Amino acid sequence: MSQLNQDMARGILLLAFCLQASLGFSQLNMKAGFTSLYTPASEFNAELNAFNEKNSDKLQNPIPELHFLNGLQIGVRYTFDKISTDLTWETTLRKRAGFGEDSLRNLFEREYFYSLSAISFNIEAHVQSNFHLSIGVGRRTLKIKREINGSNKRINVFDTPRQHVFVQVKPIFILSPRSKTPLAIAPFFLYPLSLTNISDFQNDIGFDNPRTPVSERFTSFGLSIVYYYGGRIDN
């Protein structure tokens, strides 16, 4: 986890403790859980497939496409009667690698590490005690690192992390609304409001004159499984 993400996580936790001290637990919840997402990333994966095709004589195991990323989520939630506000930070990760041998039996490999980290503000309507509907806006950061062959060191593919603003919709199904530590399952749809430039990735993967298009939206579908701490959430 980068220093920026670590500071962001600490900030969310500090905010939660401050709110708890001033407001008590009855209207405040902390949450923590697991997030998994799927992104089509058709233009991004086209570059991976082009690399695999270009090096098909050396890659016995091509680099798989990037679709699924998994990670963790934490946040704080404050309830006003039948409406809640929610501040969430999450990060999802994935490693994808291809390898083989060239004609002289020398190792040929390429290994990438992907991360999508997001912070979002959400408004949650309590439709029923066991069903809430959340709409939010946030900022997400894409980072890609490549492992240097023959070492455990990694270098950044992008000169600066790629960021985009997004909107998301999330129906929340609460499995134990009357519990002191409720469990909820939340499928979500996340739509970035801008394209992400991936020309640095195209250059890194071996295309000095990047093919067009050179941008990807990274629209995402996913599922979060979250525990809430601090009391019931079926107000």
Side-chain angles (χ1 to χ4, degrees):
M1 187 183 299
S2 70
Q3 185 62 44
L4 176 60
N5 289 338
Q6 289 177 354
D7 292 343
M8 193 174 296
R10 294 191 190 102
I12 291 175
L13 291 175
L14 179 59
L15 174 62
F17 286 125
C18 291
L19 287 173
Q20 286 175 348
S22 61
L23 300 173
F25 287 89
S26 61
Q27 295 176 302
L28 182 80
N29 296 94
M30 295 181 61
K31 68 176 184 177
F34 168 82
T35 294
S36 180
L37 67 81
Y38 170 87
T39 179
S42 56
E43 304 298 346
F44 184 87
N45 287 316
E47 301 307 318
L48 288 175
N49 292 329
F51 173 82
N52 290 334
E53 182 178 354
K54 179 181 178 181
N55 296 281
S56 59
D57 58 327
K58 295 175 284 188
L59 280 173
Q60 283 73 48
N61 291 276
I63 303 176
E65 292 186 351
L66 175 67
H67 289 298
F68 291 96
L69 295 94
N70 306 305
L72 301 176
Q73 173 187 126
I74 61 172
V76 291
R77 175 181 178 274
Y78 183 64
T79 299
F80 306 87
D81 193 19
K82 298 297 183 181
I83 298 291
S84 297
T85 58
D86 175 290
L87 182 65
T88 298
W89 175 86
E90 63 185 14
T91 186
T92 54
L93 308 168
R94 194 64 192 263
K95 179 178 75 172
R96 303 272 76 182
F99 60 91
E101 290 181 334
D102 62 20
S103 58
L104 299 177
R105 294 190 176 277
N106 295 315
L107 176 64
F108 180 82
E109 63 179 339
R110 188 64 64 91
E111 189 169 16
Y112 286 102
F113 298 82
Y114 309 99
S115 73
L116 279 170
S117 300
I119 186 167
S120 62
F121 176 78
N122 308 278
I123 297 177
E124 184 179 319
H126 302 195
V127 181
Q128 296 180 354
S129 63
N130 61 350
F131 174 70
H132 297 177
L133 181 62
S134 173
I135 299 175
V137 62
R139 179 178 293 274
R140 189 165 65 168
T141 301
L142 169 67
K143 293 183 180 180
I144 304 177
K145 293 187 176 184
R146 174 172 53 83
E147 185 166 295
I148 300 174
N149 290 344
S151 74
N152 293 321
K153 297 182 178 180
R154 304 171 187 174
I155 59 173
N156 291 313
V157 170
F158 295 137
D159 52 357
T160 58
R162 297 294 189 262
Q163 295 186 329
H164 52 257
V165 174
F166 64 85
V167 293
Q168 67 176 353
V169 178
K170 183 185 302 184
I172 302 173
F173 300 92
I174 305 164
L175 303 185
S176 51
R178 297 183 180 275
S179 170
K180 291 183 178 180
T181 55
L183 173 65
I185 295 178
F188 63 87
F189 170 68
L190 186 154
Y191 184 80
L193 298 180
S194 62
L195 296 172
T196 299
N197 186 299
I198 61 170
S199 58
D200 285 351
F201 175 73
Q202 292 176 301
N203 291 333
D204 186 85
I205 207 167
F207 296 104
D208 294 330
N209 297 303
R211 302 176 302 123
T212 56
V214 295
S215 297
E216 178 61 74
R217 191 170 294 277
F218 292 104
T219 301
S220 303
F221 309 84
L223 182 71
S224 297
I225 301 175
V226 177
Y227 274 103
Y228 292 86
Y229 302 91
R232 292 165 47 173
I233 62 172
D234 61 341
N235 296 332

